[in-house]
């Protein structure tokens, strides 16, 4: 079955043509965003979307109106307003985070949602906040340029994931790595009940192991995703670990190449992926009942992307775009599924800006009513 996900990008602005200085600091704008978020999530839940994701972006006071400082809490908010929708992150920025804390937070999210948690991890490319949050390690944002800082960031990502996996699957564990040591050497824990009802100490009260409580609801742990990286080494790492790569590039040759790399690494790790497995493809959505309105909405979306993400220091290329009437978008998605075998798609759902609350919700409603049903029951 073809599955559809949403990448929620909530903003503090109502429209692109109505900018707000320091909008992310305003309580009224944030509360309005939460109202819109609830409406989009409830619609997605009713329509049959598989799940939703949030990015991690802190301290948005520099002009970008995106407000996703705590994706795990936003996940919990969405879960509280829905019944079956899965909730996740794309992603938690591992190199600048304490991996034991990340494992703890996502495991609790999984428990609180009854197994609806998805996990997503990224490397971090935003020095405005990543450099500030990672200074204790020390760790900085990276541009995937194979520099010394980039190599260090990649090693940190890999080490953090190994720790998270241990925390999710082991009652007690220890770890001695380049960046993290668990437990901290020399830690004493003289609490008398640990020897009887707990674990991880010796007779001399030396702390020998750590863990999280509770562990994940899902066995062995929530499904793992990662955004596409400019480093093939990162893609190969996640392929070996069985994660799914989110790929928003409009270049179908690149998607095809990533699928080949993924399949090769999976085979070397002892897995046999089906055709198209390992990649969740997608991009922006500009949909309307008539072509003229759809084109206008696509122009607004392209202008918004250029304004917010195609400038320094991001310099991100335009993502894949699903533009047109419902029938045209059905054809676009169907062709990608047929030619590449991809059976999971993700749409970036921007709201309220750039179009405004009414139009953003209308587009999601139209997709839910006239596009998504065309693929329900489709064999993957």
């Amino acid at each position: 079955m073809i599955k559809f996900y949403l990448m929620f990008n909530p903003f503090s602005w109502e429209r692109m043509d109505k900018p707000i200085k320091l909008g992310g600091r305003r309580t009224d704008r944030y509360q309005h965003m939460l109202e819109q978020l609830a409406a989009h999530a409830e619609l997605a839940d009713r329509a049959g979307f598989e799940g939703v994701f949030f990015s991690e972006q802190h301290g948005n006071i520099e002009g970008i109106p995106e407000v996703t400082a705590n994706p795990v809490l936003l996940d919990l908010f969405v879960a509280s307003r829905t019944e079956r929708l899965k909730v996740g992150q794309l992603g938690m920025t591992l190199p600048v985070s304490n991996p034991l804390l990340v494992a703890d937070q996502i495991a609790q999210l999984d428990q609180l949602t009854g197994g609806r948690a998805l996990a997503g991890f990224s490397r971090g490319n935003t020095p405005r906040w990543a450099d500030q949050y990672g200074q204790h390690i020390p760790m900085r944002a990276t541009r995937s340029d194979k520099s010394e800082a980039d190599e260090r960031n990649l090693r940190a990502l890999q080490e953090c994931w190994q720790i998270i996996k241990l925390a999710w699957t082991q009652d007690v564990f220890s770890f001695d790595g380049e960046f993290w040591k668990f437990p901290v050497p020399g830690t004493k824990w003289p609490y008398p009940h640990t020897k009887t009802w707990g674990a991880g100490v010796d007779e001399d009260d030396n702390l020998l192991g750590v863990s999280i409580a509770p562990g994940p609801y899902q066995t062995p742990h929530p499904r793992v995703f990662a955004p596409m990286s400019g480093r093939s080494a990162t893609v190969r790492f996640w392929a070996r670990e069985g994660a799914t790569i989110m790929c928003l590039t409009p270049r179908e040759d690149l998607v095809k190449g990533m699928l080949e790399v993924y399949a090769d690494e999976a085979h070397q790790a002892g897995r046999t992926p089906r055709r198209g497995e390992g990649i969740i493809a997608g991009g922006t959505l500009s949909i309307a009942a008539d072509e003229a309105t759809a084109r206008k909405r696509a122009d607004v979306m392209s202008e918004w992307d250029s304004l917010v993400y195609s400038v320094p220091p991001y310099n991100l290329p335009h993502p894949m775009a699903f533009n047109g009437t419902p029938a045209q978008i059905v054809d676009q998605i169907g062709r990608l599924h047929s030619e590449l075998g991809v059976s999971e798609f993700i749409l970036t759902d921007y709201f309220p800006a750039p179009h405004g609350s009414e139009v953003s919700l209308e587009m999601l409603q139209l997709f839910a009513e006239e596009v998504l049903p065309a693929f329900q029951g489709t064999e993957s």
Side-chain angles (χ1 to χ4, degrees):
M1 179 179 178
I2 294 180
K3 297 179 181 179
F4 290 90
Y5 299 78
L6 292 172
M7 180 69 182
F8 280 155
N9 289 83
F11 298 103
S12 59
W13 296 3
E14 175 64 20
R15 296 170 56 91
M16 181 170 62
D17 57 1
K18 294 182 178 180
I20 301 173
K21 185 177 178 63
L22 296 180
R25 293 277 299 175
R26 283 180 44 173
T27 295
D28 62 331
R29 295 311 308 166
Y30 192 81
Q31 291 299 316
H32 178 69
M33 179 279 291
L34 290 177
E35 293 174 1
Q36 296 301 303
L37 172 57
H40 283 241
E42 290 165 5
L43 194 163
D45 192 43
R46 294 191 304 269
F49 280 88
E50 182 72 10
V52 300
F53 295 94
F54 295 93
S55 67
E56 181 184 18
Q57 297 290 344
H58 295 274
N60 296 85
I61 62 168
E62 81 291 357
I64 184 174
E66 185 178 356
V67 280
T68 54
N70 194 320
V72 171
L73 280 183
L74 289 172
D75 285 338
L76 191 58
F77 174 79
V78 167
S80 73
R81 303 297 294 260
T82 57
E83 295 181 359
R84 46 155 298 280
L85 201 64
K86 296 176 182 176
V87 292
Q89 324 81 38
L90 271 169
M92 301 291 284
T93 308
L94 283 192
V96 300
S97 304
N98 185 312
L100 197 60
L101 178 60
V102 172
D104 199 354
Q105 290 176 332
I106 296 177
Q108 290 190 56
L109 174 69
D110 202 32
Q111 290 284 351
L112 291 168
T113 60
R116 286 198 277 159
L118 304 169
F121 304 121
S122 61
R123 295 182 59 191
N125 65 353
T126 310
R128 171 186 49 79
W129 75 264
D131 288 11
Q132 320 316 312
Y133 280 51
Q135 61 180 296
H136 62 292
I137 300 174
M139 189 62 58
R140 308 192 69 176
T142 180
R143 298 298 302 175
S144 296
D145 56 6
K146 298 185 180 181
S147 64
E148 181 180 350
D150 182 37
E151 295 292 345
R152 179 178 170 82
N153 184 287
L154 178 56
R155 295 196 308 274
L157 172 84
Q158 295 169 341
E159 182 173 300
C160 286
W161 165 241
Q162 298 304 324
I163 294 166
I164 290 171
K165 189 162 57 171
L166 286 169
W168 280 347
T169 59
Q170 304 297 317
D171 289 339
V172 181
F173 75 93
S174 61
F175 187 89
D176 186 3
E178 178 183 357
F179 305 100
W180 297 96
K181 298 181 187 302
F182 294 105
V184 173
T187 301
K188 287 283 189 176
W189 181 244
Y191 189 60
H193 301 307
T194 302
K195 294 183 180 68
T196 305
W197 299 313
V201 295
D202 63 15
E203 291 301 316
D204 295 322
D205 297 328
N206 295 304
L207 189 63
L208 303 181
V210 297
S211 190
I212 61 171
Y217 182 95
Q218 299 174 74
T219 304
H221 54 69
R223 185 178 172 189
V224 176
F225 294 78
M228 184 183 73
S229 169
R231 292 287 305 275
S232 62
T234 307
V235 175
R236 291 182 182 277
F237 168 74
W238 284 123
R240 291 192 299 272
E241 294 295 323
T244 299
I245 308 296
M246 181 183 72
C247 184
L248 303 183
T249 177
R251 291 180 49 190
E252 293 181 25
D253 62 324
L254 184 55
V255 178
K256 184 177 180 180
M258 289 183 65
L259 285 168
E260 292 172 352
V261 168
Y262 192 98
D264 178 63
E265 290 294 328
H267 280 298
Q268 293 188 42
R271 294 184 292 112
T272 304
R274 67 178 184 278
R275 180 173 178 261
E277 182 180 347
I279 300 293
I280 178 171
T284 59
L285 173 68
S286 299
I287 187 172
D290 63 277
E291 291 187 36
T293 302
R295 281 195 297 270
K296 290 179 182 179
R297 291 176 177 178
D299 290 342
V300 170
M301 185 65 72
S302 179
E303 184 179 353
W304 175 259
D305 190 65
S306 296
L307 173 72
V308 176
Y309 298 116
S310 297
V311 294
Y314 295 103
N315 298 312
L316 296 176
H318 289 297
M320 183 184 296
F322 298 106
N323 302 333
T325 65
Q328 290 171 329
I329 292 176
V330 167
D331 288 342
Q332 294 167 24
I333 294 173
R335 184 182 59 79
L336 287 171
H337 171 64
S338 176
E339 294 184 1
L340 300 176
V342 176
S343 60
E344 293 189 300
F345 293 87
I346 187 166
L347 305 172
T348 54
D349 187 19
Y350 293 180
F351 59 87
H355 301 285
S357 300
E358 184 176 337
V359 172
S360 63
L361 190 61
E362 176 200 319
M363 289 200 297
L364 183 59
Q365 180 85 43
L366 189 58
F367 184 93
E369 292 179 350
E370 300 193 28
V371 177
L372 195 147
F375 299 100
Q376 290 176 330
T378 301
E379 291 297 325
S380 61

